[in-house]
Amino acid sequence: MSETHAHSAAFVRTEILPPAAPPPGQTGVLRWIRENLFSSIPNALLTLLALYFVYTILAAILPWTLNGIWDAGSLSECRAIRDERGLTSAACWAVINERWLQMLFGFYPIDAPLMARLFYADELAAAGGMDAVFGPGSNATDRIEFVAAMRADLGNTLVFFFGYWRPLAALALLVVAVAPVLYSSLPRSLLLFSLVYPFIAVFLLWGGSIWGPISVALGLALSLYVLKIVGARFGGLFGGLAMIVTLLCVFLNPLAPLGISGLFPLLPHVSGLLGSILPIGLPAITSDDFGGFMLAIIIGTSGIVLSLPLGIVLALGRQSSMPLIKWVCVTFIEVIRGVPLIVWLFTASLLLNYFLPPGTNFDLLLRVIIMVTLFASAYLAEVVRGGLAALPKGQYEAADSLGLDYWKSMRLIVLPQALKISIPGIVNTFIGLFKDTTLVVFIGLRDPLGLTNAIRATGEWNGIYWELYIFVALLFFTFCFFMSRYSMYLERKLATDRR
């Protein structure tokens, strides 16, 4: 300020004022409400209408939910308790309290001998000991009554942790196996466990001899070793053919069309020999006993893990300059994508065995996993193709200018960028795949929705609907919400809005 102006002004402050808080109503919640909910008359009317709508919904749902009855043996008992309390409506959560284990695991058998040894030793001794109750010559009726009494005495919590320790261990190890794939900050050496985990999970869930999964792993390792050795000496084409022949010899009988059997496949002979030398295993459980949310996790996780690499290969094949590979991939994608999943599930259930060699009997759950994987891979191929098409041509030219061959340019330059762009679409396909696992109820598998029908068919819980469906919805929402949150975390980490 000039000296002349300073003398003409009535007052000039010579010191700096300390910072002061903003005026009331210009910050915080009140300002947000005024600017976002009541900024104008139409906005205020819409806000009031929305608040009335939300109040109406909550006024009907909250009393029904919070006044729920947790301890009852049947729907009629729930209604009697509700009338005693003078309530007009109340949820009967007792069905969840009684049947949540069945909703999670279906009819998967509990490890009754282990629980009897740990928590029911006196009653087990009174019943005649382990052999008398669970031995080969034991009476089935007595065993069922003993297990039912033990479950009733011990309660669902102990049964959950000790009776179902095999699926719980498989789920816990799944988290360990998936963690290094999802989070790059973890040691890369954990990826070795991720490769071994499928064989451990099969052994824990299905049981049987431990040498079965080990023999399968050895067969796959032998095939890859043959590919490496033959490919290094005679080229990739002969290496691939040698690997296919090895796989056929290990897992199938290539001489079956000639009517020759006995030597192939090698897998049963190797696992049988190892099992006779060192018999180690768990009680075998058939796929018919699998059910509940565990079934959805098995099908969904397997489909997600297997469909992603297959979808990437199909996307690359569709963009190939080789006509045969391109049209094979295009035909596969269009045929699989153009037919509803339920049709493919019926095909897996009823028709697939007609196209397999005589004597081949695939497990129904394995057939479903194969079909779900193929179906999801067709959709993923199109999602990845969109990411490939979004890359500027300069990226391909940059890879060529570095002298990289096709696979190195895809692995080091093109695919990392294309997959980064495709993350939302890929996760969206995974979420859809996981929810579509409920369709297996139409081919006889006991998914969570199928078990709700079985529970409602009993005399105790006939007529109950909402509580079961809400429980199933919460289970699926929790799993899908985690996938959605991880997708957002990955997008922020990779900064997908910048290329």
Side-chain angles (χ1 to χ4, degrees):
M1 182 179 293
S2 65
E3 193 69 24
T4 305
H5 184 69
H7 289 292
S8 61
F11 172 76
V12 176
R13 187 179 297 278
T14 57
E15 69 278 5
I16 299 176
L17 292 176
Q26 296 301 316
T27 184
V29 178
L30 290 178
R31 181 182 179 183
W32 185 90
I33 291 175
R34 188 175 67 249
E35 291 186 351
N36 293 278
L37 302 180
F38 298 97
S39 59
S40 62
I41 293 178
N43 197 359
L45 291 176
L46 287 175
T47 299
L48 293 176
L49 184 62
L51 288 175
Y52 175 75
F53 179 75
V54 172
Y55 168 77
T56 305
I57 297 294
L58 293 180
I61 292 178
L62 287 182
W64 179 82
T65 305
L66 300 179
N67 294 326
I69 298 162
W70 289 90
D71 191 11
S74 65
L75 181 58
S76 57
E77 288 186 22
C78 275
R79 288 170 175 168
I81 296 173
R82 180 197 63 190
D83 295 339
E84 288 179 2
R85 295 179 181 176
L87 301 172
T88 56
S89 66
C92 186
W93 300 119
V95 64
I96 306 299
N97 191 26
E98 182 182 296
R99 298 298 183 98
W100 63 279
L101 286 177
Q102 189 179 1
M103 298 284 288
L104 292 180
F105 301 105
F107 295 100
Y108 195 88
I110 65 171
D111 195 341
L114 174 66
M115 296 189 64
R117 287 194 190 96
L118 294 177
F119 306 106
Y120 223 56
D122 295 339
E123 290 78 1
L124 181 64
M130 185 63 69
D131 290 337
V133 178
F134 298 105
S138 61
N139 186 291
T141 304
D142 294 340
R143 182 171 62 252
I144 293 173
E145 292 178 353
F146 180 86
V147 172
M150 180 175 64
R151 293 188 65 155
D153 285 346
L154 297 180
N156 284 341
T157 305
L158 284 177
V159 174
F160 174 74
F161 285 106
F162 293 94
Y164 293 106
W165 70 269
R166 286 167 59 175
L168 289 180
L171 181 61
L173 293 177
L174 172 64
V175 175
V176 177
V178 169
V181 180
L182 299 182
Y183 300 100
S184 58
S185 59
L186 294 176
R188 297 294 86 190
S189 57
L190 287 176
L191 289 173
L192 293 176
F193 180 77
S194 303
L195 294 176
V196 177
Y197 170 75
F199 306 101
I200 299 176
V202 168
F203 174 64
L204 285 173
L205 292 174
W206 276 269
S209 173
I210 195 174
W211 299 112
I214 291 178
S215 300
V216 172
L218 292 176
L220 294 175
L222 176 64
S223 303
L224 293 176
Y225 181 74
V226 169
L227 170 66
K228 179 180 179 182
I229 296 299
V230 177
R233 185 162 186 177
F234 299 102
L237 178 61
F238 287 100
L241 292 175
M243 185 185 72
I244 293 173
V245 172
T246 306
L247 287 172
L248 290 175
C249 293
V250 172
F251 297 103
L252 297 173
N253 182 10
L255 302 180
L258 303 177
I260 301 175
S261 61
L263 178 60
F264 299 110
L266 297 174
L267 181 66
H269 300 295
V270 174
S271 60
L273 176 63
L274 294 174
S276 62
I277 297 173
L278 190 60
I280 301 175
L282 292 171
I285 298 173
T286 63
S287 297
D288 295 336
D289 296 326
F290 284 57
F293 197 63
M294 180 182 71
L295 184 65
I297 291 178
I298 292 174
I299 298 175
T301 307
S302 304
I304 288 171
V305 172
L306 297 175
S307 63
L308 181 58
L310 185 56
I312 293 174
V313 172
L314 288 170
L316 295 177
R318 184 160 188 166
Q319 287 200 328
S320 174
S321 58
M322 303 173 69
L324 178 61
I325 294 177
K326 179 177 181 178
W327 287 110
V328 166
C329 294
V330 169
T331 304
F332 175 88
I333 292 171
E334 296 302 333
V335 170
I336 294 291
R337 197 174 53 160
V339 178
L341 177 59
I342 187 64
V343 175
W344 291 120
L345 291 178
F346 276 116
T347 303
S349 173
L350 303 173
L351 301 177
L352 192 60
N353 273 348
Y354 290 104
F355 300 99
L356 296 175
T360 304
N361 185 21
F362 262 129
D363 185 87
L364 176 59
L365 182 55
L366 179 60
R367 281 180 270 161
V368 168
I369 290 174
I370 292 173
M371 279 301 175
V372 169
T373 301
L374 296 179
F375 189 81
S377 65
Y379 278 87
L380 279 174
E382 290 303 283
V383 173
V384 175
R385 188 171 70 89
L388 292 171
L391 284 183
K393 190 178 178 182
Q395 297 297 317
Y396 296 88
E397 295 172 347
D400 294 337
S401 66
L402 292 174
L404 300 177
D405 59 18
Y406 175 79
W407 291 110
K408 284 185 178 179
S409 64
M410 289 295 121
R411 181 167 58 89
L412 299 176
I413 295 179
V414 176
L415 278 179
Q417 299 181 73
L419 293 178
K420 182 175 123 178
I421 298 171
S422 308
I423 286 175
I426 291 174
V427 176
N428 190 46
T429 305
F430 286 165
I431 290 176
L433 164 66
F434 186 70
K435 291 188 295 184
D436 284 345
T437 57
T438 54
L439 292 175
V440 299
V441 67
F442 294 110
I443 58 172
L445 295 180
R446 301 185 186 96
D447 81 313
L449 286 180
L451 286 172
T452 61
N453 296 331
I455 292 172
R456 286 189 291 106
T458 60
E460 294 84 0
W461 304 110
N462 188 13
I464 198 164
Y465 293 94
W466 285 102
E467 293 83 350
L468 295 171
Y469 290 141
I470 289 174
F471 183 69
V472 173
L474 285 176
L475 291 177
F476 276 97
F477 174 78
T478 303
F479 208 91
C480 295
F481 185 74
F482 168 75
M483 285 194 282
S484 175
R485 293 295 101 180
Y486 177 76
S487 168
M488 296 177 67
Y489 157 77
L490 201 58
E491 289 181 41
R492 287 194 302 271
K493 182 180 178 183
L494 298 177
T496 54
D497 55 335
R498 290 178 296 174
R499 296 181 185 175

